[in-house]
Amino acid sequence: MSDRCRVETALEILVGKWKPVILFQLFSHGTMRFSELQKAIPDITKKMLTSQLRELEYHDIVHREIYQQIPPKVEYSITEYGMGMTPVLQAMNDWGMAHVEHLNELYGEEREVESFVSKAEEG
Amino acid sequence: MSDRCRVETALEILVGKWKPVILFQLFSHGTMRFSELQKAIPDITKKMLTSQLRELEYHDIVHREIYQQIPPKVEYSITEYGMGMTPVLQAMNDWGMAHVEHLNELYGEEREVESFVSKAEEG
DNA sequence: AAACATAGTATACAAAATGAAACCATAGAT
DNA sequence: ATCTATGGTTTCATTTTGTATACTATGTTT
């Protein structure tokens, strides 16, 4: 590891109960409306969905596009800059998958495994 | 479960106010005693240091070596398996450094930049 | 005998993150 | 006039995470 450590900086973007799954949805589907995200993540509350999206927007990972309509329409997508997180997410996902197996060897337990970024760059 | 990625699995290892800095110390110094970790991370409480080390040990990232002496001596180090996290930490660190600059461009240099060691005491 | 050193536990408390549910604004459809 | 749809906000409760401080054990040193 290097002298100046910014692991926590990257961590800030990803930490929270919902941010990884929100990012996963947006990476997978490209552009999504607020209501589509709600449907895709049934257990999240509007409050959490809003706050997490706002944080991701602040960090320039997610773009928020407002259409002036009634009823409202707001679309979210991964920014081009946010796409730059792909290697980080991929590394974490790969490691995570291997780690699940490693823990299975150590403590014995079976689980499913899947890739994080499947249908990414479309947006 | 089918839409659940393993980013969160990797995240589990790293999440917490103190885990990144503990890992940074152990990656940097190799083997360290409990008291050395305390000295290196002055603001951490024994309880947190113990609990975070125990979690890292459970995940086979950190090894705990107990010497049967009085007063006690316990040494911590990164396991060989834990070394496998290096690419993940490196990717996160690289991205984090670039991201700090990116945010500076967006919001200006006067923004406070988070250093590796916790600044909790400034709160 | 009392203090010291180390690596912790135990208990109580505070702060932060998350959850549940109600409320808001507004155009068009019924 | 009321209902529906959407994308929120607001308030308060609960759960999770982190902090503060005292206590334990025990061989060695003073």
Side-chain angles (χ1 to χ4, degrees):
Chain A
M1 238 186 323
S2 55
D3 37 348
R4 294 178 81 193
C5 188
R6 299 270 185 250
V7 170
E8 280 159 325
T9 304
L11 231 34
E12 266 181 40
I13 310 291
L14 297 167
V15 156
K17 184 171 173 183
W18 300 107
K19 275 188 203 146
V21 61
I22 290 170
L23 287 175
F24 176 73
Q25 289 297 327
L26 290 177
F27 266 98
S28 307
H29 294 90
T31 296
M32 291 177 86
R33 297 183 62 164
F34 187 86
S35 54
E36 291 177 316
L37 281 164
Q38 271 191 109
K39 239 191 225 172
I41 313 168
D43 289 342
I44 199 172
T45 62
K46 289 170 166 211
K47 180 191 171 187
M48 287 311 293
L49 185 50
T50 305
S51 70
Q52 303 304 284
L53 283 167
R54 289 290 143 75
E55 286 179 30
L56 292 167
E57 189 192 358
Y58 174 82
H59 289 291
D60 196 23
I61 306 300
V62 157
H63 174 68
R64 179 164 176 256
E65 183 81 34
I66 306 155
Y67 296 82
Q68 285 300 348
Q69 307 177 352
I70 298 283
K73 176 178 174 184
V74 180
E75 283 184 346
Y76 292 91
S77 55
I78 304 290
T79 62
E80 205 175 322
Y81 178 72
M83 288 293 185
M85 279 209 96
T86 307
V88 175
L89 293 169
Q90 194 69 64
M92 293 179 75
N93 193 53
D94 291 351
W95 190 90
M97 290 203 289
H99 183 60
V100 167
E101 302 219 347
H102 182 73
L103 283 187
N104 287 344
E105 283 164 27
L106 285 181
Y107 302 106
E109 193 178 337
E110 275 294 331
R111 288 191 197 182
E112 281 180 45
V113 156
E114 197 194 311
S115 155
F116 183 84
V117 183
S118 46
K119 195 188 158 195
E121 298 81 41
E122 280 179 30
Chain B
M1 280 300 134
S2 59
D3 63 352
R4 185 157 176 187
C5 67
R6 296 294 165 205
V7 171
E8 280 155 321
T9 304
L11 232 33
E12 268 179 39
I13 310 291
L14 298 167
V15 157
K17 184 171 174 184
W18 299 107
K19 275 186 202 147
V21 61
I22 291 170
L23 287 175
F24 177 73
Q25 289 297 326
L26 291 176
F27 266 98
S28 308
H29 295 89
T31 295
M32 293 176 85
R33 298 183 60 164
F34 187 87
S35 54
E36 291 177 314
L37 280 164
Q38 270 192 110
K39 240 191 230 171
I41 314 168
D43 290 341
I44 198 171
T45 62
K46 291 171 166 208
K47 184 188 171 190
M48 287 310 292
L49 184 51
T50 304
S51 70
Q52 304 304 284
L53 283 168
R54 290 289 142 74
E55 286 178 30
L56 292 168
E57 190 191 357
Y58 173 84
H59 289 290
D60 195 23
I61 306 299
V62 157
H63 173 69
R64 179 165 175 255
E65 184 81 36
I66 306 155
Y67 297 82
Q68 284 300 348
Q69 306 177 353
I70 296 283
K73 176 178 173 184
V74 179
E75 282 183 345
Y76 294 90
S77 55
I78 304 290
T79 62
E80 204 174 324
Y81 178 72
M83 290 292 185
M85 277 210 97
T86 307
V88 175
L89 293 168
Q90 193 68 61
M92 292 180 75
N93 192 52
D94 291 351
W95 190 90
M97 290 206 286
H99 184 61
V100 167
E101 302 217 350
H102 181 73
L103 282 188
N104 285 344
E105 282 164 28
L106 285 181
Y107 301 106
E109 302 270 345
E110 79 281 356
R111 256 176 69 82
E112 263 207 28
V113 156
E114 195 171 297
S115 74
F116 187 87
V117 175
S118 170
K119 290 181 153 187
E121 73 274 6
E122 294 177 6

